[in-house]
Amino acid sequence: MDSPLTLIICGASGDLTARKLVPSLYRLACKNRLPAEGRIVGVARSAFSDAAFRDKMAAAVREHAAREWLPERWEAFARRLFYVAADATKPEGLANLSAWLKEKEGGAGGRRLFYLAVAPDLYGGIVSSLAAAGLLREEGGWRRLVIEKPFGRDLASARTLNESIRSQLREEQIYRIDHYLGKDTVQNILVLRFANILFEPLWNSQYIDHVQITVAEKVALEGRGAYYDQAGVLRDMFQNHLLQLLTLVAMEPPARFAADPLRNEKVKVLDAIEPLDDAEAGRQLVRGQYAGYRGEKGVPPTSKTPTYAALRLGINNWRWRGVPFYLRSGKALKGRLSEVVVQFHCPPHLMFPVGDGGTMQCNRLALCIQPDEGIHVSFQSKVPDQEGMVMRPSDLEFHYGHAYKNLPIPESYERLLLDAMHGDASLFMRSDEIERAWAIMDPFIRASESASATAPEEYAVGSDGPAGANAFLDRDGRAWLSLCHH
Ligand SMILES: NC(=O)c1ccc[n+]([C@@H]2O[C@H](COP(=O)([O-])OP(=O)(O)OC[C@H]3O[C@@H](n4cnc5c(N)ncnc54)[C@H](OP(=O)(O)O)[C@@H]3O)[C@@H](O)[C@H]2O)c1
């Protein structure tokens, strides 16, 4: 029989726990996916009794998992939920937690998953105190650690953090979150590419002109001004979500869907992206800041932090040499949209004229990540009943909402929490992957933050971003594309 399983959430009185973690765990319990008899214990410095913590979480679940809310289901789930007040950065502060675990595990130890939902500057200190308090010794079961983003703020700090955590834990015990990887539509990039024969033969520089990756947010700072101004869009979105999407689009097929084969291929893609020197990175980058950003709470009035960026990367390997990857992301834009557009080359020779009133558009494939989850393929079709041959682009569309009506796309934390409990690290980032991603982004960040950098171009709230982003693609004879519905 397995030893008792405990999920220990450090930062249990915070926003992430209330908005994402506990509602996701509750939904997993509703689907009977949580390991039987598993316990969840929240840890933070604030004082809560078990009952008070359950009440706070009940309110959070009613708000964030409203569709699934049922009082009797909640009662059953809440019996597994506990709270221990502790300062997790101090080994002596963790004595309460040690005592609690000993009592609940019955003295023989158990399996423990630690989830750090705390400010990033506490990650290293908490891991050291967990170790000093003896909580990471694998007695009676495994120890695993889930770490939230951001993981470092540049290559040097990510390396230091990796070294500090790996002095206490083996790599396979560490689960670094990028919640984008928990999305079904992101995992579907792998299914589309590697469970179909249709696309893969064309998936290279011979047939693909360029690739665009967009992660647009409609929201602005949502009260996180002080954090965001220190980060900016390059750290907040590019180093993680956009580069993750790029690796899935560009990687070679792994032999097995398992953590190491998959992550080896992702690292190879990142390895094939030569980090640019700072001056060149500056030329391959457009930065924007939404109007009014400098008046936001927590943001200095002189801030040059970009809230929008667009950049170009090249992948130097046989498959992708010469195919630009354009990445863009920003806040306070027209809509919320995550999308990958693959622009194919035009046919080498067109035997018929386009025809009066017709349009010739070379094939495009769009992977719609959110909110219009699905796939669009744009292809040429003959317009019926015309004099002569007239062509126009048409769309083949696949929507999760239609194809899987009764299976709504779940919150990505559900999948990630479950995978960490099951010991599957496929959808988590390995240390070399994180470091490689920082090595690619650092020159762009330095170019953006250097004393001689110009201020980012202002763009209107609710727009498509700065005009400079259009000029950037225009210079390459291309334009930003969007096929997915907003
Ligand atoms: N919120 C989100 O949607 C979101 C999304 C993506 C990533 N993240 C990441 O998730 C992490 C948590 O974010 P958050 O928004 O939940 O932050 P938050 O609301 O500020 O919560 C931080 C938590 O840490 C606890 N804490 C602080 N010092 C502690 C200590 N010494 N020992 C134990 N607990 C301590 C706080 O509780 P006490 O003050 O009671 O100790 C609080 O519960 C951050 O790394 C963030 O970047 C958050």
Side-chain angles (χ1 to χ4, degrees), residues 146-160:
V146 180
I147 307 186
E148 261 300 332
K149 76 157 218 189
F151 194 96
R153 53 178 285 108
D154 54 18
L155 175 59
S157 55
R159 252 189 205 146
T160 305

Side-chain angles (χ1 to χ4, degrees), residues 55-86:
D55 286 348
K56 178 175 157 68
M57 292 300 111
V61 168
R62 288 180 92 130
E63 184 180 347
H64 300 293
R67 252 188 323 178
E68 293 87 354
W69 174 263
L70 264 183
E72 55 275 26
R73 278 194 199 153
W74 171 257
E75 288 307 322
F77 174 77
R79 282 195 284 276
R80 300 162 157 221
L81 202 55
F82 303 87
Y83 185 84
V84 172

Side-chain angles (χ1 to χ4, degrees), residues 11 13-16 19 44-46 87-88 117-118 122-123 148-150:
S13 57
D15 177 66
L16 184 73
R19 275 200 313 126
R45 293 164 307 174
S46 310
D87 182 339
V118 295
L122 301 184
Y123 298 157
E148 261 300 332
K149 76 157 218 189

Side-chain angles (χ1 to χ4, degrees), residues 200-211:
E200 203 49 28
L202 308 182
W203 212 258
N204 57 55
S205 62
Q206 203 184 335
Y207 296 100
I208 292 179
D209 177 71
H210 73 278
V211 176

